[in-house]
mmCIF file of all heavy atoms in Angstrom:
data_model
loop_
_atom_site.group_PDB
_atom_site.id
_atom_site.type_symbol
_atom_site.label_atom_id
_atom_site.label_comp_id
_atom_site.label_asym_id
_atom_site.label_seq_id
_atom_site.Cartn_x
_atom_site.Cartn_y
_atom_site.Cartn_z
ATOM 1 N N ARG V 1 52.940 -23.604 15.925
ATOM 2 C CA ARG V 1 53.834 -23.347 14.759
ATOM 3 C C ARG V 1 54.673 -24.573 14.373
ATOM 4 O O ARG V 1 54.999 -25.304 15.233
ATOM 5 C CB ARG V 1 54.854 -22.212 15.047
ATOM 6 C CG ARG V 1 54.147 -20.817 15.316
ATOM 7 C CD ARG V 1 55.216 -19.788 15.513
ATOM 8 N NE ARG V 1 54.621 -18.509 15.921
ATOM 9 C CZ ARG V 1 54.151 -18.069 17.081
ATOM 10 N NH1 ARG V 1 54.239 -18.906 18.098
ATOM 11 N NH2 ARG V 1 53.589 -16.973 17.267
ATOM 12 N N SER V 2 54.853 -24.707 13.033
ATOM 13 C CA SER V 2 55.542 -25.818 12.589
ATOM 14 C C SER V 2 56.448 -25.543 11.430
ATOM 15 O O SER V 2 55.990 -25.550 10.292
ATOM 16 C CB SER V 2 54.539 -26.952 12.196
ATOM 17 O OG SER V 2 55.245 -28.188 12.122
ATOM 18 N N LYS V 3 57.591 -24.976 11.825
ATOM 19 C CA LYS V 3 58.578 -24.476 10.708
ATOM 20 C C LYS V 3 59.922 -25.235 10.672
ATOM 21 O O LYS V 3 60.839 -24.756 10.071
ATOM 22 C CB LYS V 3 58.839 -23.007 10.993
ATOM 23 C CG LYS V 3 57.538 -22.069 10.942
ATOM 24 C CD LYS V 3 57.933 -20.658 11.102
ATOM 25 C CE LYS V 3 56.729 -19.718 10.970
ATOM 26 N NZ LYS V 3 56.979 -18.358 11.124
ATOM 27 N N SER V 4 59.927 -26.271 11.360
ATOM 28 C CA SER V 4 61.292 -27.059 11.424
ATOM 29 C C SER V 4 61.340 -28.341 10.605
ATOM 30 O O SER V 4 62.089 -29.274 10.877
ATOM 31 C CB SER V 4 61.505 -27.408 12.969
ATOM 32 O OG SER V 4 61.450 -26.276 13.743
ATOM 33 N N GLY V 5 60.395 -28.333 9.550
ATOM 34 C CA GLY V 5 60.503 -29.525 8.757
ATOM 35 C C GLY V 5 59.999 -30.720 9.461
ATOM 36 O O GLY V 5 59.090 -30.710 10.248
ATOM 37 N N ILE V 6 60.729 -31.899 9.263
ATOM 38 C CA ILE V 6 60.354 -33.140 9.881
ATOM 39 C C ILE V 6 60.867 -33.200 11.381
ATOM 40 O O ILE V 6 60.745 -34.242 12.017
ATOM 41 C CB ILE V 6 60.728 -34.423 9.126
ATOM 42 C CG1 ILE V 6 62.163 -34.450 8.805
ATOM 43 C CG2 ILE V 6 59.889 -34.377 7.752
ATOM 44 C CD1 ILE V 6 62.586 -35.734 8.123
ATOM 45 N N LEU V 7 61.559 -32.113 11.803
ATOM 46 C CA LEU V 7 61.975 -32.049 13.162
ATOM 47 C C LEU V 7 60.799 -31.915 14.263
ATOM 48 O O LEU V 7 60.879 -32.412 15.302
ATOM 49 C CB LEU V 7 63.026 -31.025 13.434
ATOM 50 C CG LEU V 7 64.332 -31.074 12.651
ATOM 51 C CD1 LEU V 7 65.168 -29.840 12.991
ATOM 52 C CD2 LEU V 7 65.005 -32.409 12.899
ATOM 53 N N ARG V 8 59.851 -31.273 13.821
ATOM 54 C CA ARG V 8 58.637 -31.046 14.646
ATOM 55 C C ARG V 8 57.488 -31.053 13.854
ATOM 56 O O ARG V 8 57.128 -30.019 13.125
ATOM 57 C CB ARG V 8 58.802 -29.768 15.470
ATOM 58 C CG ARG V 8 57.632 -29.450 16.360
ATOM 59 C CD ARG V 8 57.797 -28.092 17.171
ATOM 60 N NE ARG V 8 58.970 -28.281 18.079
ATOM 61 C CZ ARG V 8 58.935 -28.853 19.281
ATOM 62 N NH1 ARG V 8 57.786 -29.481 19.647
ATOM 63 N NH2 ARG V 8 59.964 -28.927 20.010
ATOM 64 N N GLY V 9 56.702 -32.056 13.817
ATOM 65 C CA GLY V 9 55.520 -32.241 12.941
ATOM 66 C C GLY V 9 54.223 -32.297 13.682
ATOM 67 O O GLY V 9 54.173 -32.509 14.950
ATOM 68 N N ARG V 10 53.108 -32.083 13.043
ATOM 69 C CA ARG V 10 51.827 -32.200 13.533
ATOM 70 C C ARG V 10 51.331 -33.758 13.460
ATOM 71 O O ARG V 10 50.388 -34.062 14.158
ATOM 72 C CB ARG V 10 50.826 -31.268 12.851
ATOM 73 C CG ARG V 10 51.131 -29.835 13.100
ATOM 74 C CD ARG V 10 50.132 -28.862 12.574
ATOM 75 N NE ARG V 10 50.342 -27.513 13.071
ATOM 76 C CZ ARG V 10 50.636 -26.447 12.304
ATOM 77 N NH1 ARG V 10 50.852 -26.722 10.962
ATOM 78 N NH2 ARG V 10 50.763 -25.309 12.794
ATOM 79 N N GLU V 11 51.900 -34.428 12.590
ATOM 80 C CA GLU V 11 51.656 -35.788 12.435
ATOM 81 C C GLU V 11 53.048 -36.474 12.286
ATOM 82 O O GLU V 11 53.702 -36.088 11.377
ATOM 83 C CB GLU V 11 50.655 -36.065 11.219
ATOM 84 C CG GLU V 11 50.558 -37.546 10.945
ATOM 85 C CD GLU V 11 49.690 -37.812 9.705
ATOM 86 O OE1 GLU V 11 48.937 -36.912 9.319
ATOM 87 O OE2 GLU V 11 49.703 -39.056 9.147
ATOM 88 N N PHE V 12 53.351 -37.481 13.040
ATOM 89 C CA PHE V 12 54.638 -38.113 12.946
ATOM 90 C C PHE V 12 54.631 -39.494 13.654
ATOM 91 O O PHE V 12 53.760 -39.777 14.404
ATOM 92 C CB PHE V 12 55.762 -37.251 13.661
ATOM 93 C CG PHE V 12 55.375 -36.942 15.106
ATOM 94 C CD1 PHE V 12 56.029 -37.780 16.028
ATOM 95 C CD2 PHE V 12 54.637 -35.924 15.606
ATOM 96 C CE1 PHE V 12 55.810 -37.513 17.434
ATOM 97 C CE2 PHE V 12 54.331 -35.736 16.845
ATOM 98 C CZ PHE V 12 54.950 -36.495 17.871
ATOM 99 N N VAL V 13 55.686 -40.300 13.360
ATOM 100 C CA VAL V 13 55.758 -41.534 13.953
ATOM 101 C C VAL V 13 56.730 -41.499 15.052
ATOM 102 O O VAL V 13 57.898 -41.025 14.886
ATOM 103 C CB VAL V 13 56.211 -42.663 12.906
ATOM 104 C CG1 VAL V 13 56.450 -44.030 13.579
ATOM 105 C CG2 VAL V 13 55.067 -42.853 11.848
ATOM 106 N N MET V 14 56.443 -42.145 16.212
ATOM 107 C CA MET V 14 57.214 -42.118 17.287
ATOM 108 C C MET V 14 57.443 -43.571 17.849
ATOM 109 O O MET V 14 56.380 -44.384 17.747
ATOM 110 C CB MET V 14 56.619 -41.334 18.558
ATOM 111 C CG MET V 14 57.634 -41.256 19.734
ATOM 112 S SD MET V 14 57.220 -39.993 20.900
ATOM 113 C CE MET V 14 55.759 -40.685 21.653
ATOM 114 N N LYS V 15 58.652 -43.934 18.178
ATOM 115 C CA LYS V 15 58.810 -45.198 18.989
ATOM 116 C C LYS V 15 58.708 -44.847 20.353
ATOM 117 O O LYS V 15 59.345 -43.965 21.000
ATOM 118 C CB LYS V 15 60.226 -45.705 18.718
ATOM 119 C CG LYS V 15 60.410 -47.123 19.380
ATOM 120 C CD LYS V 15 60.783 -47.106 20.834
ATOM 121 C CE LYS V 15 61.874 -46.208 21.175
ATOM 122 N NZ LYS V 15 62.019 -45.967 22.638
ATOM 123 N N ASP V 16 57.533 -45.392 21.035
ATOM 124 C CA ASP V 16 57.487 -45.178 22.460
ATOM 125 C C ASP V 16 57.503 -46.550 23.138
ATOM 126 O O ASP V 16 56.748 -47.391 22.765
ATOM 127 C CB ASP V 16 56.219 -44.346 22.828
ATOM 128 C CG ASP V 16 54.978 -44.774 22.010
ATOM 129 O OD1 ASP V 16 55.170 -45.256 20.882
ATOM 130 O OD2 ASP V 16 53.877 -44.466 22.521
ATOM 131 N N LEU V 17 58.362 -46.606 24.141
ATOM 132 C CA LEU V 17 58.514 -47.818 24.926
ATOM 133 C C LEU V 17 58.200 -47.527 26.397
ATOM 134 O O LEU V 17 58.451 -46.358 26.940
ATOM 135 C CB LEU V 17 59.951 -48.324 24.883
ATOM 136 C CG LEU V 17 60.285 -49.537 25.729
ATOM 137 C CD1 LEU V 17 61.082 -50.552 24.936
ATOM 138 C CD2 LEU V 17 60.964 -49.262 27.081
ATOM 139 N N TYR V 18 57.513 -48.377 27.065
ATOM 140 C CA TYR V 18 57.075 -48.266 28.424
ATOM 141 C C TYR V 18 57.575 -49.363 29.245
ATOM 142 O O TYR V 18 57.402 -50.546 28.889
ATOM 143 C CB TYR V 18 55.602 -48.024 28.527
ATOM 144 C CG TYR V 18 55.034 -46.945 27.581
ATOM 145 C CD1 TYR V 18 54.638 -47.226 26.304
ATOM 146 C CD2 TYR V 18 55.080 -45.656 28.083
ATOM 147 C CE1 TYR V 18 54.195 -46.239 25.475
ATOM 148 C CE2 TYR V 18 54.543 -44.645 27.187
ATOM 149 C CZ TYR V 18 54.189 -44.898 25.943
ATOM 150 O OH TYR V 18 53.720 -43.984 25.083
ATOM 151 N N SER V 19 58.182 -49.050 30.399
ATOM 152 C CA SER V 19 58.722 -50.189 31.300
ATOM 153 C C SER V 19 57.794 -50.214 32.539
ATOM 154 O O SER V 19 57.254 -49.194 33.024
ATOM 155 C CB SER V 19 60.129 -49.913 31.687
ATOM 156 O OG SER V 19 60.275 -48.746 32.495
ATOM 157 N N PHE V 20 57.632 -51.398 33.004
ATOM 158 C CA PHE V 20 56.786 -51.795 34.205
ATOM 159 C C PHE V 20 57.582 -52.580 35.141
ATOM 160 O O PHE V 20 57.931 -53.783 34.886
ATOM 161 C CB PHE V 20 55.522 -52.483 33.764
ATOM 162 C CG PHE V 20 54.718 -51.648 32.712
ATOM 163 C CD1 PHE V 20 55.016 -51.765 31.329
ATOM 164 C CD2 PHE V 20 53.754 -50.830 33.106
ATOM 165 C CE1 PHE V 20 54.343 -50.986 30.390
ATOM 166 C CE2 PHE V 20 53.022 -50.011 32.153
ATOM 167 C CZ PHE V 20 53.331 -50.139 30.854
ATOM 168 N N SER V 21 57.887 -52.022 36.377
ATOM 169 C CA SER V 21 58.780 -52.768 37.359
ATOM 170 C C SER V 21 58.134 -52.834 38.699
ATOM 171 O O SER V 21 57.202 -52.151 39.000
ATOM 172 C CB SER V 21 60.098 -51.913 37.453
ATOM 173 O OG SER V 21 60.715 -51.699 36.127
ATOM 174 N N ARG V 22 58.730 -53.821 39.424
ATOM 175 C CA ARG V 22 58.175 -54.080 40.832
ATOM 176 C C ARG V 22 58.817 -53.166 41.791
ATOM 177 O O ARG V 22 58.211 -52.810 42.753
ATOM 178 C CB ARG V 22 58.417 -55.527 41.163
ATOM 179 C CG ARG V 22 57.678 -56.605 40.288
ATOM 180 C CD ARG V 22 58.188 -57.926 40.462
ATOM 181 N NE ARG V 22 59.536 -58.169 39.843
ATOM 182 C CZ ARG V 22 60.123 -59.309 39.495
ATOM 183 N NH1 ARG V 22 59.414 -60.407 39.846
ATOM 184 N NH2 ARG V 22 61.253 -59.306 38.936
ATOM 185 N N THR V 23 60.101 -52.892 41.691
ATOM 186 C CA THR V 23 60.846 -52.046 42.603
ATOM 187 C C THR V 23 61.586 -50.951 41.893
ATOM 188 O O THR V 23 61.795 -50.918 40.672
ATOM 189 C CB THR V 23 61.842 -52.932 43.434
ATOM 190 O OG1 THR V 23 62.919 -53.357 42.461
ATOM 191 C CG2 THR V 23 61.132 -54.135 44.094
ATOM 192 N N GLN V 24 61.839 -49.943 42.666
ATOM 193 C CA GLN V 24 62.685 -48.815 42.195
ATOM 194 C C GLN V 24 64.072 -49.238 41.675
ATOM 195 O O GLN V 24 64.463 -48.849 40.635
ATOM 196 C CB GLN V 24 62.925 -47.696 43.239
ATOM 197 C CG GLN V 24 63.540 -46.444 42.697
ATOM 198 C CD GLN V 24 62.645 -45.702 41.682
ATOM 199 O OE1 GLN V 24 61.503 -45.667 41.879
ATOM 200 N NE2 GLN V 24 63.313 -45.262 40.608
ATOM 201 N N GLU V 25 64.696 -50.236 42.368
ATOM 202 C CA GLU V 25 65.943 -50.852 41.946
ATOM 203 C C GLU V 25 65.785 -51.457 40.531
ATOM 204 O O GLU V 25 66.687 -51.339 39.631
ATOM 205 C CB GLU V 25 66.391 -51.720 42.955
ATOM 206 C CG GLU V 25 67.851 -52.436 42.591
ATOM 207 C CD GLU V 25 68.211 -53.411 43.644
ATOM 208 O OE1 GLU V 25 67.455 -53.934 44.445
ATOM 209 O OE2 GLU V 25 69.421 -53.605 43.637
ATOM 210 N N GLU V 26 64.766 -52.230 40.440
ATOM 211 C CA GLU V 26 64.504 -52.923 39.164
ATOM 212 C C GLU V 26 64.205 -51.836 37.991
ATOM 213 O O GLU V 26 64.759 -51.999 36.904
ATOM 214 C CB GLU V 26 63.253 -53.804 39.257
ATOM 215 C CG GLU V 26 63.045 -54.794 38.178
ATOM 216 C CD GLU V 26 61.932 -55.810 38.528
ATOM 217 O OE1 GLU V 26 60.731 -55.314 38.452
ATOM 218 O OE2 GLU V 26 62.203 -56.899 38.791
ATOM 219 N N HIS V 27 63.487 -50.777 38.355
ATOM 220 C CA HIS V 27 63.257 -49.743 37.312
ATOM 221 C C HIS V 27 64.604 -49.088 36.931
ATOM 222 O O HIS V 27 64.886 -48.832 35.826
ATOM 223 C CB HIS V 27 62.328 -48.693 37.847
ATOM 224 C CG HIS V 27 62.290 -47.484 36.986
ATOM 225 N ND1 HIS V 27 61.638 -47.324 35.789
ATOM 226 C CD2 HIS V 27 62.950 -46.245 37.277
ATOM 227 C CE1 HIS V 27 61.886 -46.042 35.305
ATOM 228 N NE2 HIS V 27 62.576 -45.479 36.163
ATOM 229 N N ASP V 28 65.448 -48.650 38.005
ATOM 230 C CA ASP V 28 66.699 -48.081 37.727
ATOM 231 C C ASP V 28 67.599 -48.857 36.836
ATOM 232 O O ASP V 28 68.309 -48.238 35.961
ATOM 233 C CB ASP V 28 67.396 -47.671 39.057
ATOM 234 C CG ASP V 28 66.544 -46.688 39.799
ATOM 235 O OD1 ASP V 28 65.744 -46.005 39.260
ATOM 236 O OD2 ASP V 28 66.807 -46.503 41.045
ATOM 237 N N GLU V 29 67.581 -50.112 37.086
ATOM 238 C CA GLU V 29 68.469 -51.052 36.255
ATOM 239 C C GLU V 29 67.988 -50.959 34.817
ATOM 240 O O GLU V 29 68.867 -50.981 33.895
ATOM 241 C CB GLU V 29 68.329 -52.420 36.789
ATOM 242 C CG GLU V 29 69.293 -53.466 36.087
ATOM 243 C CD GLU V 29 69.197 -54.846 36.722
ATOM 244 O OE1 GLU V 29 68.675 -54.976 37.810
ATOM 245 O OE2 GLU V 29 69.640 -55.779 35.950
ATOM 246 N N PHE V 30 66.717 -51.067 34.593
ATOM 247 C CA PHE V 30 66.227 -51.079 33.172
ATOM 248 C C PHE V 30 66.477 -49.694 32.496
ATOM 249 O O PHE V 30 66.909 -49.510 31.338
ATOM 250 C CB PHE V 30 64.843 -51.346 33.115
ATOM 251 C CG PHE V 30 64.142 -51.398 31.720
ATOM 252 C CD1 PHE V 30 64.246 -52.480 30.973
ATOM 253 C CD2 PHE V 30 63.744 -50.250 31.054
ATOM 254 C CE1 PHE V 30 63.741 -52.580 29.693
ATOM 255 C CE2 PHE V 30 63.212 -50.157 29.854
ATOM 256 C CZ PHE V 30 63.226 -51.383 29.072
ATOM 257 N N TYR V 31 66.344 -48.583 33.305
ATOM 258 C CA TYR V 31 66.537 -47.222 32.870
ATOM 259 C C TYR V 31 68.053 -47.041 32.350
ATOM 260 O O TYR V 31 68.215 -46.426 31.309
ATOM 261 C CB TYR V 31 66.266 -46.238 34.011
ATOM 262 C CG TYR V 31 66.059 -44.800 33.619
ATOM 263 C CD1 TYR V 31 64.832 -44.281 33.264
ATOM 264 C CD2 TYR V 31 67.169 -43.928 33.761
ATOM 265 C CE1 TYR V 31 64.722 -42.896 33.054
ATOM 266 C CE2 TYR V 31 66.957 -42.550 33.595
ATOM 267 C CZ TYR V 31 65.806 -42.118 33.149
ATOM 268 O OH TYR V 31 65.639 -40.744 32.899
ATOM 269 N N GLU V 32 68.982 -47.595 33.045
ATOM 270 C CA GLU V 32 70.294 -47.521 32.664
ATOM 271 C C GLU V 32 70.542 -48.323 31.342
ATOM 272 O O GLU V 32 71.317 -47.923 30.458
ATOM 273 C CB GLU V 32 71.300 -48.009 33.727
ATOM 274 C CG GLU V 32 71.304 -47.122 34.936
ATOM 275 C CD GLU V 32 71.720 -45.634 34.554
ATOM 276 O OE1 GLU V 32 72.718 -45.491 33.907
ATOM 277 O OE2 GLU V 32 71.022 -44.722 35.115
ATOM 278 N N LYS V 33 69.940 -49.485 31.260
ATOM 279 C CA LYS V 33 70.083 -50.175 29.933
ATOM 280 C C LYS V 33 69.401 -49.447 28.781
ATOM 281 O O LYS V 33 69.944 -49.505 27.672
ATOM 282 C CB LYS V 33 69.389 -51.574 30.121
ATOM 283 C CG LYS V 33 70.103 -52.406 31.047
ATOM 284 C CD LYS V 33 69.316 -53.872 31.254
ATOM 285 C CE LYS V 33 70.054 -54.806 32.136
ATOM 286 N NZ LYS V 33 69.271 -56.075 32.303
ATOM 287 N N ALA V 34 68.289 -48.797 29.068
ATOM 288 C CA ALA V 34 67.678 -47.896 27.961
ATOM 289 C C ALA V 34 68.688 -46.836 27.596
ATOM 290 O O ALA V 34 68.641 -46.508 26.352
ATOM 291 C CB ALA V 34 66.364 -47.391 28.584
ATOM 292 N N LYS V 35 69.342 -46.139 28.536
ATOM 293 C CA LYS V 35 70.304 -45.176 28.182
ATOM 294 C C LYS V 35 71.286 -45.720 27.032
ATOM 295 O O LYS V 35 71.579 -45.124 26.031
ATOM 296 C CB LYS V 35 71.042 -44.638 29.413
ATOM 297 C CG LYS V 35 70.259 -43.714 30.180
ATOM 298 C CD LYS V 35 71.316 -43.241 31.463
ATOM 299 C CE LYS V 35 70.540 -42.447 32.464
ATOM 300 N NZ LYS V 35 71.411 -42.082 33.537
ATOM 301 N N ASN V 36 71.825 -46.919 27.466
ATOM 302 C CA ASN V 36 72.889 -47.480 26.515
ATOM 303 C C ASN V 36 72.314 -47.859 25.186
ATOM 304 O O ASN V 36 72.881 -47.716 24.144
ATOM 305 C CB ASN V 36 73.435 -48.780 27.194
ATOM 306 C CG ASN V 36 74.375 -48.417 28.442
ATOM 307 O OD1 ASN V 36 74.886 -47.383 28.517
ATOM 308 N ND2 ASN V 36 74.343 -49.240 29.361
ATOM 309 N N ALA V 37 71.025 -48.352 25.136
ATOM 310 C CA ALA V 37 70.364 -48.728 23.952
ATOM 311 C C ALA V 37 70.156 -47.430 22.994
ATOM 312 O O ALA V 37 70.423 -47.477 21.790
ATOM 313 C CB ALA V 37 69.022 -49.285 24.167
ATOM 314 N N TYR V 38 69.893 -46.284 23.645
ATOM 315 C CA TYR V 38 69.767 -45.072 23.015
ATOM 316 C C TYR V 38 71.079 -44.696 22.316
ATOM 317 O O TYR V 38 71.124 -44.222 21.168
ATOM 318 C CB TYR V 38 69.091 -44.000 23.854
ATOM 319 C CG TYR V 38 67.610 -43.899 23.839
ATOM 320 C CD1 TYR V 38 66.819 -45.176 23.858
ATOM 321 C CD2 TYR V 38 66.896 -42.739 23.693
ATOM 322 C CE1 TYR V 38 65.497 -45.123 23.812
ATOM 323 C CE2 TYR V 38 65.516 -42.754 23.712
ATOM 324 C CZ TYR V 38 64.809 -43.929 23.723
ATOM 325 O OH TYR V 38 63.444 -43.835 23.694
ATOM 326 N N ARG V 39 72.082 -44.792 23.161
ATOM 327 C CA ARG V 39 73.466 -44.355 22.723
ATOM 328 C C ARG V 39 73.745 -45.205 21.392
ATOM 329 O O ARG V 39 74.308 -44.753 20.501
ATOM 330 C CB ARG V 39 74.455 -44.529 23.725
ATOM 331 C CG ARG V 39 74.365 -43.490 24.806
ATOM 332 C CD ARG V 39 75.752 -43.314 25.432
ATOM 333 N NE ARG V 39 75.762 -42.485 26.601
ATOM 334 C CZ ARG V 39 75.968 -41.218 26.500
ATOM 335 N NH1 ARG V 39 76.020 -40.575 25.290
ATOM 336 N NH2 ARG V 39 75.999 -40.363 27.660
ATOM 337 N N ASN V 40 73.444 -46.603 21.450
ATOM 338 C CA ASN V 40 73.760 -47.348 20.435
ATOM 339 C C ASN V 40 72.999 -46.928 19.118
ATOM 340 O O ASN V 40 73.533 -46.960 17.989
ATOM 341 C CB ASN V 40 73.281 -48.902 20.672
ATOM 342 C CG ASN V 40 74.170 -49.417 21.778
ATOM 343 O OD1 ASN V 40 75.235 -49.012 22.007
ATOM 344 N ND2 ASN V 40 73.673 -50.591 22.294
#
């Protein structure tokens, strides 16, 4: 079903970013920066 206008489409543009890290600590540090970027 698609009744929410451009909130939920069958065709849409998404920004998708993927991070690649060596350690969990390195990943967690980037993850927190991504949170702040999204808030901005």
